[in-house]
Amino acid sequence: MSEDQNQTPNGADQELRHRVRNVFAVVSALIALSARRYPEASAFADELRGRVAALARAHAFIRPHLDGAQGKAGPSNLHGFLAELLRPYADEGGGRVSITGDDAVFDDQAATAIALLFNELAANAARHGALSRAGGRVRLSTRRRGDRLALTWAEHGGPPLDRGRRRPGFGFALIDLSVDQLDGTLARRWRREGLEATVDVPASALSRRRPAGGTSEDVRGSLSTTGR
Amino acid sequence: MAARILIVEDEAIVALELRFVLEDLGYEVVDAVDEARAARQVVRETEVDLALVDINLSDGPTGVGLGRELAQDEGVTVLYMTANPGMLNGGVAGTIGVLAKPTDERAVETAVEYALRRRYGECAPPAPADLRLFA
């Protein structure tokens, strides 16, 4: 059997994946329908649907892959995933949201946290930050240092920051929770041109699933550099 | 006259939400059906400008072929809406593109407006970012 065939899910697996993805669509529609009778809840419903959509994208991106007899999802490419996740906020030329730096692989266990983290940053930028302005943009850069990966979200061209509005909401709590889940640290800087947030995570947090008996070499090998 | 839209979707809740969104936008939803055969019948019996077509329907993964047929043989503008856009990676000749579910009102609004402008040969605005266009 070729490697390609090895990575193709069987019919039952594929069917299950399709059904799970459909469940996300049903949940999202249920939220919207439930909120219809409560116009005051529409902003809440929009935020919640955005989060459900981020989870759905995370689920959709994890590469179908049969890991031996386990049938687990295999590792995925981080830049590709971030591009897909941020697609609703991007423009055709790619100038509005750019992703550069060292790429890495991550697995299904890290996908939820990564999706929620960057969905919140993007949604916040779209509501209050650089992505709320026509000329605003976000540069997301990733940099590997030893066995750590730093992801920097830098907004440019946004409205002047409203210092009175810095009271952290649930979105920021969700960001903190996601960073914790990745065993990472978060540094936020409120610059004149917009928020700069740097998330620093250990490589091992991106690829937790390893074959039993995996060594630290596996962890180091899980980050790959694809150039800048 | 409001554009006439057919929803082809086997999840009743998703179809209902989509209908509400489209009606709020002023479109006429001619019907919402859950299988290919019923969709063909609607198109035979009434005028449809745009069909929003899911892939996995109650009669199986018949949406791909249905969309192609409605676009190529019936002159209906077709936009796929599916939770599994990977099944359309090669594109489908004659159809506009695919919008991944779950989605939101704004994405539906811009994608439908884009598709209808293409139908009427109007100067189409830039395609919305969520919409994957077919060549």
Side-chain angles (χ1 to χ4, degrees):
Chain A
M1 183 181 275
S2 75
E3 192 178 307
D4 271 0
Q5 284 170 310
N6 227 354
Q7 293 187 355
T8 303
N10 61 36
D13 190 38
Q14 189 128 25
E15 173 70 16
L16 180 63
R17 292 167 60 80
H18 289 171
R19 286 183 187 279
V20 171
R21 289 179 198 174
N22 228 30
V23 168
F24 284 113
V26 172
V27 169
S28 178
L30 261 182
I31 295 168
L33 285 173
S34 306
R36 279 202 162 250
R37 292 191 56 195
Y38 306 95
E40 69 279 11
S42 74
F44 164 79
D46 288 349
E47 277 183 24
L48 189 53
R49 290 184 85 191
R51 287 167 186 147
V52 170
L55 290 180
R57 282 171 192 267
H59 180 83
F61 196 82
I62 296 299
R63 197 167 63 201
H65 182 147
L66 293 183
D67 258 345
Q70 304 295 312
K72 288 174 184 162
S76 297
N77 165 286
L78 183 62
H79 280 196
F81 174 56
L82 290 170
E84 184 59 30
L85 184 71
L86 300 174
R87 189 182 173 86
Y89 302 95
D91 59 0
E92 216 163 298
R96 193 155 166 80
V97 178
S98 66
I99 301 169
T100 58
D102 303 324
D103 206 350
V105 293
F106 69 101
D107 66 19
D108 55 324
Q109 285 212 320
T112 302
I114 294 171
L116 289 177
L117 167 56
F118 287 98
N119 175 65
E120 290 306 319
L121 286 170
N124 188 64
R127 278 195 299 271
H128 312 294
L131 299 180
S132 69
R133 289 280 176 93
R137 60 193 194 285
V138 170
R139 288 180 180 156
L140 176 53
S141 54
T142 56
R143 186 171 178 197
R144 182 185 171 181
R145 286 190 194 129
D147 66 348
R148 297 191 72 87
L149 186 74
L151 301 99
T152 300
W153 171 276
E155 298 183 24
H156 303 271
L161 287 172
D162 176 0
R163 290 177 181 274
R165 204 190 41 73
R166 280 201 211 159
R167 190 172 60 86
F170 176 66
F172 274 124
L174 202 48
I175 289 173
D176 289 341
L177 271 174
S178 303
V179 172
D180 279 351
Q181 191 178 327
L182 293 167
D183 295 328
T185 59
L186 171 66
R188 291 190 192 98
R189 284 175 59 213
W190 302 92
R191 303 163 308 152
R192 182 183 294 274
E193 62 267 41
L195 170 67
E196 181 182 282
T198 298
V199 180
D200 187 275
V201 299
S204 56
L206 294 182
S207 296
R208 289 176 196 272
R209 279 201 206 282
R210 293 186 298 282
T215 66
S216 58
E217 276 305 305
D218 297 328
V219 177
R220 279 200 287 279
S222 69
L223 278 176
S224 65
T225 302
T226 58
R228 288 163 195 266
Chain B
M1 201 181 73
R4 296 165 59 84
I5 301 179
L6 169 65
I7 297 170
V8 187
E9 164 66 65
D10 73 329
E11 289 287 357
I13 290 181
V14 174
L16 180 64
E17 203 265 324
L18 189 54
R19 175 191 281 269
F20 282 159
V21 169
L22 294 169
E23 288 177 349
D24 282 353
L25 292 168
Y27 296 116
E28 182 182 347
V29 176
V30 294
D31 211 340
V33 297
D34 66 357
E35 51 157 22
R37 191 179 50 82
R40 287 189 195 98
Q41 189 163 346
V42 171
V43 169
R44 270 199 304 270
E45 290 172 358
T46 182
E47 191 183 324
V48 174
D49 298 308
L50 172 67
L52 302 176
V53 180
D54 191 8
I55 296 175
N56 293 300
L57 302 172
S58 63
D59 55 354
T62 54
V64 180
L66 173 70
R68 182 187 296 115
E69 185 185 320
L70 294 186
Q72 294 181 0
D73 303 340
E74 306 291 343
V76 175
T77 298
V78 171
L79 188 60
Y80 291 99
M81 284 185 67
T82 173
N84 295 284
M87 291 175 78
L88 293 168
N89 270 348
V92 180
T95 67
I96 299 276
V98 58
L99 190 61
K101 292 187 298 192
T103 182
D104 57 32
E105 287 96 339
R106 177 82 192 126
V108 170
E109 179 181 358
T110 52
V112 165
E113 190 185 327
Y114 174 84
L116 287 169
R117 285 208 189 187
R118 285 258 304 254
R119 175 178 183 81
Y120 299 123
E122 292 171 17
C123 175
D130 322 52
L131 179 63
R132 238 184 253 279
L133 293 179
F134 298 151

